[in-house]
Short mmCIF file of all heavy atoms in Angstrom, two decimals:
data_model
loop_
_atom_site.label_atom_id
_atom_site.label_comp_id
_atom_site.label_asym_id
_atom_site.label_seq_id
_atom_site.Cartn_x
_atom_site.Cartn_y
_atom_site.Cartn_z
N PRO L 619 -6.02 -5.09 5.20
CA PRO L 619 -7.23 -5.03 5.99
C PRO L 619 -8.08 -3.73 5.77
O PRO L 619 -9.25 -3.77 5.72
CB PRO L 619 -6.68 -5.12 7.33
CG PRO L 619 -5.41 -5.89 7.22
CD PRO L 619 -4.84 -5.41 5.96
N ASP L 620 -7.31 -2.63 5.68
CA ASP L 620 -8.06 -1.36 5.35
C ASP L 620 -8.78 -1.37 4.00
O ASP L 620 -9.98 -1.01 3.95
CB ASP L 620 -7.01 -0.19 5.27
CG ASP L 620 -6.19 -0.02 6.49
OD1 ASP L 620 -6.62 -0.28 7.65
OD2 ASP L 620 -5.00 0.39 6.37
N ALA L 621 -8.10 -1.89 3.08
CA ALA L 621 -8.68 -1.94 1.67
C ALA L 621 -9.82 -2.96 1.63
O ALA L 621 -10.84 -2.77 0.86
CB ALA L 621 -7.61 -2.36 0.73
N ASP L 622 -9.77 -4.08 2.44
CA ASP L 622 -10.80 -5.08 2.48
C ASP L 622 -12.12 -4.42 2.94
O ASP L 622 -13.20 -4.69 2.37
CB ASP L 622 -10.45 -6.18 3.43
CG ASP L 622 -9.85 -7.35 2.79
OD1 ASP L 622 -9.87 -7.48 1.49
OD2 ASP L 622 -9.10 -8.09 3.47
N VAL L 623 -12.01 -3.47 3.81
CA VAL L 623 -13.29 -2.81 4.42
C VAL L 623 -13.81 -1.98 3.24
O VAL L 623 -15.07 -2.03 3.05
CB VAL L 623 -12.86 -1.93 5.58
CG1 VAL L 623 -14.06 -1.09 6.03
CG2 VAL L 623 -12.45 -2.83 6.73
N VAL L 624 -13.01 -1.31 2.45
CA VAL L 624 -13.47 -0.51 1.35
C VAL L 624 -14.17 -1.46 0.29
O VAL L 624 -15.29 -1.14 -0.16
CB VAL L 624 -12.34 0.24 0.63
CG1 VAL L 624 -12.75 0.92 -0.67
CG2 VAL L 624 -11.80 1.38 1.59
N CYS L 625 -13.53 -2.46 -0.10
CA CYS L 625 -14.10 -3.27 -1.16
C CYS L 625 -15.41 -3.94 -0.68
O CYS L 625 -16.39 -3.89 -1.41
CB CYS L 625 -13.14 -4.48 -1.50
SG CYS L 625 -11.65 -3.89 -2.32
N ARG L 626 -15.48 -4.42 0.53
CA ARG L 626 -16.73 -4.99 1.05
C ARG L 626 -17.87 -3.92 1.13
O ARG L 626 -18.98 -4.16 0.79
CB ARG L 626 -16.53 -5.67 2.45
CG ARG L 626 -17.46 -6.86 2.57
CD ARG L 626 -17.22 -7.68 3.80
NE ARG L 626 -16.95 -6.82 4.99
CZ ARG L 626 -15.76 -6.72 5.61
NH1 ARG L 626 -14.75 -7.35 5.15
NH2 ARG L 626 -15.69 -5.98 6.65
N GLN L 627 -17.48 -2.74 1.63
CA GLN L 627 -18.49 -1.72 1.79
C GLN L 627 -19.14 -1.39 0.40
O GLN L 627 -20.27 -1.00 0.20
CB GLN L 627 -17.86 -0.44 2.40
CG GLN L 627 -18.92 0.57 2.90
CD GLN L 627 -18.18 1.80 3.56
OE1 GLN L 627 -17.11 1.64 4.09
NE2 GLN L 627 -18.85 2.92 3.45
N LEU L 628 -18.31 -1.44 -0.72
CA LEU L 628 -18.74 -1.14 -1.98
C LEU L 628 -19.33 -2.36 -2.78
O LEU L 628 -19.58 -2.29 -3.93
CB LEU L 628 -17.70 -0.59 -2.81
CG LEU L 628 -17.14 0.82 -2.35
CD1 LEU L 628 -15.88 1.22 -3.11
CD2 LEU L 628 -18.17 1.87 -2.61
N ARG L 629 -19.49 -3.52 -2.05
CA ARG L 629 -19.86 -4.72 -2.74
C ARG L 629 -18.98 -5.14 -3.85
O ARG L 629 -19.50 -5.51 -4.95
CB ARG L 629 -21.38 -4.74 -3.13
CG ARG L 629 -22.29 -4.44 -2.03
CD ARG L 629 -23.74 -4.83 -2.42
NE ARG L 629 -24.67 -4.74 -1.36
CZ ARG L 629 -25.30 -3.57 -1.03
NH1 ARG L 629 -25.19 -2.53 -1.85
NH2 ARG L 629 -26.22 -3.59 -0.07
N CYS L 630 -17.73 -4.96 -3.68
CA CYS L 630 -16.72 -5.39 -4.72
C CYS L 630 -15.78 -6.46 -4.32
O CYS L 630 -14.72 -6.56 -4.80
CB CYS L 630 -15.86 -4.03 -4.91
SG CYS L 630 -16.57 -2.75 -5.98
N GLY L 631 -16.27 -7.31 -3.32
CA GLY L 631 -15.53 -8.41 -3.00
C GLY L 631 -14.41 -8.07 -1.96
O GLY L 631 -14.71 -7.28 -0.99
N HIS L 632 -13.14 -8.58 -2.08
CA HIS L 632 -12.13 -8.34 -1.25
C HIS L 632 -10.93 -7.56 -2.03
O HIS L 632 -10.98 -7.53 -3.20
CB HIS L 632 -11.62 -9.56 -0.57
CG HIS L 632 -11.18 -10.64 -1.54
ND1 HIS L 632 -11.88 -11.54 -2.13
CD2 HIS L 632 -9.91 -10.73 -2.02
CE1 HIS L 632 -11.26 -12.27 -3.00
NE2 HIS L 632 -9.98 -11.82 -2.92
N ALA L 633 -9.98 -7.10 -1.20
CA ALA L 633 -8.95 -6.37 -1.85
C ALA L 633 -7.93 -7.39 -2.45
O ALA L 633 -7.52 -8.29 -1.80
CB ALA L 633 -8.20 -5.47 -0.82
N VAL L 634 -7.49 -7.20 -3.69
CA VAL L 634 -6.48 -8.01 -4.33
C VAL L 634 -5.10 -7.27 -4.36
O VAL L 634 -4.06 -7.85 -4.38
CB VAL L 634 -6.78 -8.65 -5.73
CG1 VAL L 634 -7.84 -9.65 -5.45
CG2 VAL L 634 -7.27 -7.56 -6.66
N SER L 635 -5.16 -5.95 -4.35
CA SER L 635 -3.90 -5.17 -4.16
C SER L 635 -4.21 -3.77 -3.68
O SER L 635 -5.25 -3.15 -4.08
CB SER L 635 -3.05 -5.27 -5.50
OG SER L 635 -3.53 -4.15 -6.35
N VAL L 636 -3.24 -3.27 -2.95
CA VAL L 636 -3.33 -1.87 -2.40
C VAL L 636 -2.34 -1.06 -3.17
O VAL L 636 -1.27 -1.50 -3.47
CB VAL L 636 -3.14 -1.82 -0.88
CG1 VAL L 636 -4.12 -2.48 -0.11
CG2 VAL L 636 -1.77 -2.37 -0.52
N ARG L 637 -2.67 0.27 -3.45
CA ARG L 637 -1.88 1.15 -4.28
C ARG L 637 -1.68 2.38 -3.39
O ARG L 637 -2.67 2.97 -2.86
CB ARG L 637 -2.49 1.47 -5.56
CG ARG L 637 -2.84 0.30 -6.40
CD ARG L 637 -1.47 -0.30 -7.16
NE ARG L 637 -1.82 -1.54 -7.85
CZ ARG L 637 -2.33 -1.64 -9.04
NH1 ARG L 637 -2.75 -0.56 -9.69
NH2 ARG L 637 -2.54 -2.86 -9.61
N GLY L 638 -0.49 2.89 -3.31
CA GLY L 638 -0.18 4.14 -2.77
C GLY L 638 0.39 5.20 -3.71
O GLY L 638 0.22 4.92 -4.94
N ASN L 639 0.97 6.27 -3.28
CA ASN L 639 1.62 7.27 -4.13
C ASN L 639 0.71 7.74 -5.30
O ASN L 639 1.13 7.87 -6.41
CB ASN L 639 2.84 6.77 -4.65
CG ASN L 639 3.80 6.38 -3.65
OD1 ASN L 639 3.91 7.03 -2.56
ND2 ASN L 639 4.56 5.17 -3.73
N SER L 640 -0.60 7.96 -4.96
CA SER L 640 -1.53 8.44 -5.97
C SER L 640 -1.53 7.69 -7.20
O SER L 640 -1.41 8.27 -8.37
CB SER L 640 -1.47 9.93 -6.20
OG SER L 640 -0.15 10.32 -6.71
N ALA L 641 -1.46 6.39 -7.23
CA ALA L 641 -1.37 5.50 -8.37
C ALA L 641 -2.52 5.83 -9.38
O ALA L 641 -2.37 5.60 -10.53
CB ALA L 641 -1.41 4.02 -7.90
N PHE L 642 -3.65 6.23 -8.87
CA PHE L 642 -4.87 6.55 -9.73
C PHE L 642 -5.05 8.07 -9.84
O PHE L 642 -6.11 8.47 -10.16
CB PHE L 642 -6.15 5.91 -9.10
CG PHE L 642 -6.10 4.36 -9.10
CD1 PHE L 642 -5.76 3.70 -7.88
CD2 PHE L 642 -6.33 3.66 -10.25
CE1 PHE L 642 -5.80 2.36 -7.93
CE2 PHE L 642 -6.27 2.28 -10.26
CZ PHE L 642 -5.98 1.62 -9.03
N GLY L 643 -3.99 8.77 -9.73
CA GLY L 643 -4.03 10.24 -9.91
C GLY L 643 -4.30 10.93 -8.56
O GLY L 643 -4.64 10.23 -7.57
N ARG L 644 -3.96 12.23 -8.49
CA ARG L 644 -4.15 12.92 -7.30
C ARG L 644 -5.61 13.34 -7.16
O ARG L 644 -6.23 13.91 -8.04
CB ARG L 644 -3.19 14.16 -7.26
CG ARG L 644 -1.78 13.81 -7.27
CD ARG L 644 -0.83 14.98 -7.23
NE ARG L 644 0.59 14.62 -7.21
CZ ARG L 644 1.54 15.33 -6.92
NH1 ARG L 644 1.28 16.56 -6.59
NH2 ARG L 644 2.79 14.87 -7.08
N GLY L 645 -6.14 13.18 -6.00
CA GLY L 645 -7.49 13.70 -5.66
C GLY L 645 -7.55 15.05 -5.33
O GLY L 645 -6.54 15.79 -5.34
N HIS L 646 -8.74 15.57 -4.91
CA HIS L 646 -8.90 16.98 -4.48
C HIS L 646 -9.62 16.97 -3.12
O HIS L 646 -9.98 15.98 -2.65
CB HIS L 646 -9.71 17.75 -5.54
CG HIS L 646 -9.23 17.69 -6.92
ND1 HIS L 646 -8.15 18.47 -7.35
CD2 HIS L 646 -9.52 16.87 -7.94
CE1 HIS L 646 -7.85 18.17 -8.55
NE2 HIS L 646 -8.71 17.20 -8.98
N GLY L 647 -9.78 18.19 -2.59
CA GLY L 647 -10.48 18.27 -1.29
C GLY L 647 -9.58 17.84 -0.16
O GLY L 647 -8.36 17.70 -0.30
N PRO L 648 -10.22 17.72 1.02
CA PRO L 648 -9.51 17.41 2.26
C PRO L 648 -8.93 16.02 2.30
O PRO L 648 -9.57 15.16 1.59
CB PRO L 648 -10.56 17.62 3.38
CG PRO L 648 -11.84 17.42 2.70
CD PRO L 648 -11.75 17.88 1.25
N ILE L 649 -7.93 15.74 3.07
CA ILE L 649 -7.46 14.42 3.30
C ILE L 649 -8.09 14.01 4.58
O ILE L 649 -7.87 14.50 5.67
CB ILE L 649 -5.86 14.37 3.34
CG1 ILE L 649 -5.35 14.59 1.92
CG2 ILE L 649 -5.43 13.06 3.91
CD1 ILE L 649 -3.88 15.03 1.91
N LEU L 650 -9.10 13.03 4.51
CA LEU L 650 -9.94 12.75 5.61
C LEU L 650 -9.47 11.62 6.57
O LEU L 650 -9.99 11.59 7.68
CB LEU L 650 -11.34 12.43 5.07
CG LEU L 650 -12.10 13.61 4.30
CD1 LEU L 650 -13.26 13.06 3.66
CD2 LEU L 650 -12.39 14.70 5.26
#
């Protein structure tokens, strides 16, 4: 449900999978 909101907000459809543990690399800046 969290990821669905992201996908819809970006006009990317719906979420087909969620990834944790920095699967796409570690980001920078604050954890918001």
Side-chain angles (χ1 to χ4, degrees):
D620 301 328
D622 270 339
V623 174
V624 170
C625 293
R626 205 171 51 248
Q627 193 178 334
L628 292 172
R629 297 198 177 91
C630 284
H632 60 271
V634 289
S635 82
V636 293
R637 304 278 171 85
N639 301 324
S640 62
F642 295 103
R644 296 182 182 196
H646 304 283
I649 291 163
L650 294 172

